[in-house]
Each structure stands twice: as C-alpha cells, then as structure tokens.
Amino acid sequence: MNIPFLDIQASYHELKSEIDAAVQRVLASGWYILGAEVDAFEQDYATYCGVRHCVSVANGLDALHLALRAMDVGPGDEVIVPSNTYIATWLAVSQCGAVPVPVEPVEATYNLDPAKIEAAITARTKVILPVHLYGQAADLAPILAIAKQHGLRVLEDGAQAHGARYRGQRVGGHGDAVTWSFYPGKNLGALGDAGAVTTNDPEIADRIRVLRNYGSRVKYVNEVQGYNSRLDPLQAAALRVKLSYLDAWNARRAVIADLYTNSLADSGLVLPEVLDGTDPAWHLYVVRSPEREALQAKLTQAGVGSLIHYPIPPHLQQAYAGAGFTAGQFPLAESMAEQVLSLPMGPHLGREQQLRVIDAIVSA
C-alpha cells in the first residue's frame, strides 16, 4: 500500500456528479469572466466566514498583493511578516515596493509571536501580516491590540486556514481583511489557481474590486492602474460545490490529527500544539525531528508520502539575497526549516492508511 501525502483527485471523485453539473452549467451559460456564478460564490464564502464582503481574485498571491494595495501600502512602507512562512507572504509586500520586516514565531504553534511584534515597529510600519500557518489560527487578540495602539492595519493570510476558528469565530473577519488561496491542495481547493479577500470594510472591498479588473468599474473607464486578476466562473462553480462539504472534510481532518497526536505521543517527535481558544483546520499535520532526513527516507521506503513545508525560510532564499539578511539572524525559522515534516493529511485518508502511517513512524 502506497500512501500519498495528499490525494487531490479524491475530492473530485467524491463530488463528481455535482462538480460536473456545476461545470456544465457554466459552459452552457456562455459567461466565462466574472458574472453571476462568481457573485454567488463570493456571497456564499462571505456568509461562511461571517463577514460582509468577499472579493475573488485569480490566486492567493494576488489576494495578498491587492489587499496590501487597497491598504495604501507602497514604496517606503514596512509590513511585519512571519520569519517562517511560504514566500508568497513576503512577495506580496515586495510587489508593493514595501519592505517585509520578519518577526520570529511562537515555537509551540509556528505562528507569529505577538510578544516580539512591538520591537519591530518603526515609523514606516503600516501593516501587521500574521499567517494562520498549517491551519492553526494565529493569536489574533494581542496582535489586534498592538495594531490598534500603533494605528496599524492587520491583514491575515488565511491561505491554509479555511474553516479554522479563533475564540469561536471563523477566521475571515477578525482583522481588517483576510486573504485566501484556493489552490487545489488547500482545504477548500479549486480546479486550478484561485483566491479571494474577505473583509468587513466596504472601502477595502471596493478598492480590490477595482484593482482586480484593470482599475475599472465601468468598461473602458480606468480609475487607477489596476491588474487582471479575476476568478473565472468555472472555478467559482466548483468552489461553491466544495464549500458545502468543507466543514465535514475539516472534521475528518480533525479525527486524523487526534489519532496522530494520541498515537505518536511517545515517538520522540515534536507534535503540533493547539492554542487555547482555537479550532485548527488541520491543513497540515507537521512534526519536528532533528533526524528529519532519515525519518523521511524510512517513510518513503515504507510507501508513506511526506513533504517539507518549507525547507528554506524566506530570508535565506535567493530572491531576498540583496535584502541584507544573514544566516542565524532568525534562528527559530531556520531551526524549523531544518526539522519540520508534514505527514499525510486529508479528508480522504482512510483509517487503514492512517494506521499504516503511524506504524511506519513508530518503526522508523
């Protein structure tokens, strides 16, 4: 039995008749850019997140970039970002001409450490950008309090946290805005690239709607220099189908996470910890080991897939070689990059497969 890290096709096979019908509906409509199908998904997802506005875009990076632009982030500004995250969080800041300012995480949760934020704030700081990494909600209350004290915006990166909750409320509207990726491997995944921004701020929503469509709200009338970043109706239709199953799929993920946690308690691995008052979406189940390469090799030999999220922290990437960062500058991010390993996780991972993963880890 070979166990993949994630079986992306399984979600389609489970919902094949519904997704096929939704796609056929779009094809028959003759409307392939924005339109009623996209409007319906935006309303559905805004309702799901408990917010007033959802603006869909082409992908998660565009969601971050356009949300920052809507917050007037530009050259000379600084944005506080996690030192350990996928590089898209940093790239969006750089695309605005602004400077990403890294802050180390809480070691137990991998998320931005609120206690370290104020030391990174300068007169140029405009936004704090926490990431809900691996599907674990960041500790938003102290982050929002710091932002309010210093007159800053909070933009959350929710790309891995569809359906996660913080203090009883779904991630989606705690801060000024939340960005989403619907990349196929996400908890709520499209059939290709897709993204969105949710917010309760009508001005932010309006600005993003204009920016995503060439800077225009009326055809051939361009108010600003905008972009072409529009969710197409085929993706919207598929996402509408999958959205109705998201909570059930997240519940399956939670059962797998509980089994891993209970079964691997004495394995010697560093297991995920859940912040009090949060309900993770369990996008990933990430363990840490100083012997990661040997562990991953043995899992591969046993037919168990695993991935490393992420082997190189952003400050050590070639893309930021000119930014002046040095090895050892962010030791927690670097240590995590050297030790983290993501185990198979997904709503279609069967019980026998789960037990095989556990047996392979214990044997290793």
Side-chain angles (χ1 to χ4, degrees):
M1 180 190 295
N2 287 318
I3 301 171
F5 171 74
L6 175 65
D7 185 351
I8 292 180
Q9 286 184 309
S11 62
Y12 170 66
H13 291 313
E14 180 180 344
L15 307 179
K16 184 179 186 304
S17 60
E18 293 181 64
I19 292 176
D20 287 355
V23 169
Q24 288 297 322
R25 182 176 69 242
V26 174
L27 294 177
S29 73
W31 195 286
Y32 307 129
I33 298 291
L34 296 176
E37 198 76 49
V38 172
D39 291 344
F41 169 70
E42 290 178 343
Q43 183 56 60
D44 289 349
Y45 197 62
T47 300
Y48 178 83
C49 292
V51 296
R52 285 183 284 176
H53 306 282
C54 171
V55 184
S56 59
V57 294
N59 55 68
L61 176 55
D62 283 359
L64 284 162
H65 178 212
L66 297 186
L68 288 167
R69 283 286 313 274
M71 294 177 180
D72 293 321
V73 172
D77 293 330
E78 295 177 350
V79 176
I80 291 175
V81 296
S83 59
N84 65 312
T85 182
Y86 184 54
I87 197 170
T89 312
W90 287 41
L91 291 176
V93 177
S94 299
Q95 287 177 357
C96 293
V99 177
V101 178
V103 169
E104 289 271 73
V106 176
E107 188 169 8
T109 65
Y110 304 97
N111 280 325
L112 189 65
D113 189 345
K116 297 175 182 174
I117 290 176
E118 285 196 280
I121 294 174
T122 72
R124 294 182 175 181
T125 305
K126 204 153 193 179
V127 174
I128 303 173
L129 207 173
V131 177
H132 302 296
L133 199 62
Y134 308 149
Q136 301 262 13
D139 195 0
L140 291 171
I143 293 173
L144 292 169
I146 292 167
K148 183 176 181 180
Q149 179 182 349
H150 293 272
L152 305 175
R153 297 274 206 174
V154 174
L155 175 63
E156 305 163 48
D157 184 338
Q160 300 183 354
H162 312 83
R165 292 179 183 270
Y166 180 79
R167 298 189 177 180
Q169 178 184 341
R170 281 200 183 101
V171 168
H174 291 85
D176 293 282
V178 184
T179 65
W180 304 93
S181 167
F182 303 119
Y183 181 80
K186 303 297 186 183
N187 290 39
L188 180 60
L191 305 179
D193 272 324
V197 182
T198 55
T199 181
N200 283 311
D201 187 323
E203 184 176 354
I204 289 176
D206 183 64
R207 287 184 175 186
I208 296 172
R209 289 189 193 281
V210 172
L211 285 168
R212 74 174 178 181
N213 191 36
Y214 297 97
S216 172
R217 67 180 86 229
V218 177
K219 193 169 185 177
Y220 301 131
V221 178
N222 302 86
E223 302 171 21
V224 295
Q225 295 179 15
Y227 305 85
N228 176 13
S229 182
R230 302 174 298 198
L231 180 68
D232 73 69
L234 287 169
Q235 303 301 343
L239 287 167
R240 290 181 68 196
V241 173
K242 289 188 173 184
L243 180 59
S244 63
Y245 292 87
L246 177 57
D247 285 344
W249 285 355
N250 281 350
R252 294 185 205 171
R253 290 174 178 268
V255 170
I256 298 168
D258 286 344
L259 180 63
Y260 281 164
T261 298
N262 293 330
S263 301
L264 300 176
D266 299 321
S267 66
L269 299 174
V270 177
L271 304 181
E273 295 186 28
V274 177
L275 179 71
D276 287 345
T278 66
D279 297 302
W282 292 112
H283 174 61
L284 299 174
Y285 190 95
V286 179
V287 300
R288 292 210 315 269
S289 170
E291 306 293 335
R292 178 185 66 196
E293 278 67 27
L295 172 60
Q296 187 175 36
K298 290 182 178 180
L299 291 180
T300 299
Q301 291 172 5
V304 174
S306 62
L307 287 178
I308 298 171
H309 296 86
Y310 303 95
I312 305 174
H315 72 282
L316 297 181
Q317 292 280 5
Q318 294 181 42
Y320 285 95
F325 298 116
T326 59
Q329 190 171 355
F330 300 100
L332 275 178
E334 292 175 30
S335 174
M336 290 171 178
E338 293 171 354
Q339 297 185 2
V340 293
L341 186 66
S342 300
L343 303 183
M345 170 58 76
H348 301 93
L349 188 70
R351 182 73 172 189
E352 183 180 354
Q353 292 176 310
Q354 298 164 33
L355 296 174
R356 282 289 300 277
V357 172
I358 292 165
D359 287 344
I361 293 172
V362 172
S363 296

